Amino acid sequence: MKIVVTGGLGFIGSHTVVELQNEGFEVVAIDNLSNSSESVLEGIFNITGKKPIFEKLDLREKLAVQDFFKKHNDVVGVIHFAASKAVGESVENPLLYYENNINALVYVLQELTKLNKANFIFSSSCTVYGQAEKMPITENAPVQSAMSPYGNTKQIGEEIITDTAKVTNLNSILLRYFNPIGAHSSAEIGELPLGVPQNLVPFITQTAIGLREKLSVFGDDYPTSDGTAVRDYIHVVDLAKAHVVALKRLLDNKNLEKVETFNLGTGTGSSVLEVINAFEKVSNQKLNYQIVGRREGDITEAYANTDKANNVLGWKAQFSLEEALASAWKWEQKIRG
Ligand code: WQD
């Protein structure tokens, strides 16, 4: 069965392509290479022995999207990762985010819903909860006015899908990721942040390898155990496997509603200092860091209630924080070594 993975050469996309191929799916990876490189195809091949069909395509080009789905009209499902995802950049350049994250989604859905099967997995984010009132966060927690244009595009994306599913053949699962980290155990694929990393773990590994002078810890005056902010860090391979489970749920018509939502996290919150300590343990080296002021827009705490993912979706994260950090470190050493 043919599955389209948009953003298929990206961080989570490439790991999901591997897991789909491991399950015997034929994969068409779409990417515009704005935040990835074609060499990722080699990495995927080195892991699975198969190269996905690769189509270099910018999903903002409506005619190109139409041509793609005319060519691949035997597609039975789409996993949609393609989007811009830097919170800070989205504040500075909101229109880039609305064009890339919304227009592209609309064009894909317009073509997908013309096919026999319209199964759609959407890459969403816990950022839609803003600072949730209650921890751990369930799927029923209110979706608050997002903290950034990036978060807003995820919220709007979910609404577009929900409205479309009401009047078309679309069946969809919205996956709200917490904080994806780590890399495939082979170190053949991993996170390739362009420029200065915005996210914590790639900044940690780049500091440890000597690419960055020191890590700035954004605030130690939060109301948490050690004053630093708490997140739910989930191994990217656990996340990728969840996408295959969700896709199979749709293909097997096991979805109870036309649009279902699942939080994907470990269910455990870790503070920035706890992540640093865990990294020092797995890398056996001290990390150079300095406590500085809070980062604009950051929330205090977010970690997932994973009951629905565990009991309804039938998926549970397997890797620990230490294992995820060890895989991120192995990847950093491989690409910079
Ligand atoms: C984690 C913690 C920072 C960098 C965002 C998006 C989310 C997803 C992941 C795309 C925070 C602290 C960070 C640094 C630090 N995006 N930190 N020093 O902001 O929780 O989530 O990225 O898929 O949708 O909202 O992730 O890794 O940026 O930050 O102290 O140099 O680490 O303040 O507490 P975040 P993050």
Side-chain angles (χ1 to χ4, degrees):
M1 285 192 276
K2 185 186 275 186
I3 305 296
V4 173
V5 180
T6 73
L9 300 191
F11 174 39
I12 308 170
S14 56
H15 285 83
T16 303
V17 169
V18 164
E19 298 308 325
L20 285 167
Q21 290 186 326
N22 288 346
E23 291 295 307
F25 287 101
E26 181 191 3
V27 178
V28 182
I30 292 178
D31 211 296
N32 68 359
L33 303 179
S34 62
N35 191 22
S36 58
S37 103
E38 223 170 314
S39 63
V40 170
L41 286 167
E42 297 307 315
I44 293 170
F45 178 77
N46 292 342
I47 296 169
T48 66
K50 288 173 274 188
K51 256 193 192 175
I53 301 166
F54 172 60
E55 300 260 11
K56 187 174 185 296
L57 180 61
D58 193 321
L59 297 173
R60 290 171 294 190
E61 308 296 332
K62 183 169 182 169
L63 296 178
V65 175
Q66 291 173 338
D67 291 345
F68 174 88
F69 279 94
K70 282 195 191 96
K71 179 178 166 188
H72 296 283
N73 58 12
D74 54 342
V75 162
V76 295
V78 173
I79 304 182
H80 186 59
F81 293 104
S84 303
K85 59 161 204 163
V87 172
E89 183 189 46
S90 78
V91 174
E92 275 137 46
N93 195 345
L95 289 177
L96 170 80
Y97 275 68
Y98 288 113
E99 185 192 35
N100 195 27
N101 296 9
I102 304 298
N103 291 8
L105 171 64
V106 169
Y107 298 154
V108 169
L109 290 176
Q110 281 174 329
E111 299 314 310
L112 178 63
T113 50
K114 290 176 187 166
L115 304 182
N116 279 338
K117 286 272 178 201
N119 295 300
F120 191 73
I121 308 280
F122 182 62
S123 163
S124 191
S125 167
C126 64
T127 202
V128 301
Y129 297 117
Q131 176 54 74
E133 288 289 303
K134 197 167 156 295
M135 293 299 133
I137 304 173
T138 68
E139 289 80 358
N140 305 322
V143 170
Q144 319 215 30
S145 54
M147 314 287 277
S148 67
Y150 159 75
N152 209 19
T153 66
K154 292 299 180 185
Q155 203 173 318
I156 296 168
E158 293 189 358
E159 289 162 3
I160 290 170
I161 291 161
T162 304
D163 289 344
T164 306
K166 285 179 189 145
V167 292
T168 67
N169 63 348
L170 183 68
N171 282 289
S172 183
I173 290 181
L174 313 176
L175 297 177
R176 291 175 178 165
Y177 312 154
F178 282 66
N179 287 58
I181 63 168
H184 191 270
S185 58
S186 64
E188 289 292 342
I189 53 176
E191 197 165 3
L192 283 167
L194 294 181
V196 179
Q198 299 302 306
N199 296 128
L200 177 66
V201 171
F203 206 108
I204 286 178
T205 55
Q206 287 192 12
T207 302
I209 202 102
L211 210 55
R212 308 286 159 201
E213 199 246 325
K214 69 169 167 253
L215 169 77
S216 296
V217 174
F218 297 142
D220 67 346
D221 57 350
Y222 286 100
T224 61
S225 57
D226 61 20
T228 61
V230 171
R231 298 290 185 275
D232 185 335
Y233 297 94
I234 175 171
H235 196 299
V236 65
V237 172
D238 274 330
L239 203 54
K241 289 178 188 284
H243 287 74
V244 181
V245 173
L247 176 70
K248 286 181 174 176
R249 180 177 175 84
L250 292 177
L251 294 175
D252 299 346
N253 299 308
K254 290 213 168 79
N255 49 309
L256 307 176
E257 299 146 296
K258 292 206 76 193
V259 179
E260 293 180 312
T261 304
F262 295 96
N263 285 345
L264 296 184
T266 64
T268 302
S270 301
S271 74
V272 176
L273 287 178
E274 284 167 341
V275 174
I276 292 171
N277 294 337
F279 180 79
E280 290 181 332
K281 196 170 119 197
V282 301
S283 64
N284 197 23
Q285 64 178 62
K286 288 301 285 169
L287 189 79
N288 186 17
Y289 68 89
Q290 179 188 6
I291 306 284
V292 298
R294 293 183 180 191
R295 178 172 66 177
E296 184 66 29
D298 274 353
I299 57 169
T300 300
E301 194 174 38
Y303 55 94
N305 178 313
T306 58
D307 291 349
K308 191 177 174 191
N310 303 158
N311 305 327
V312 177
L313 185 57
W315 165 89
K316 186 172 173 53
Q318 302 300 310
F319 290 103
S320 68
L321 173 67
E322 286 75 15
E323 287 168 320
L325 291 169
S327 69
W329 179 226
K330 182 179 174 189
W331 166 249
E332 188 68 61
Q333 291 173 295
K334 163 91 183 281
I335 55 174
R336 312 279 178 211

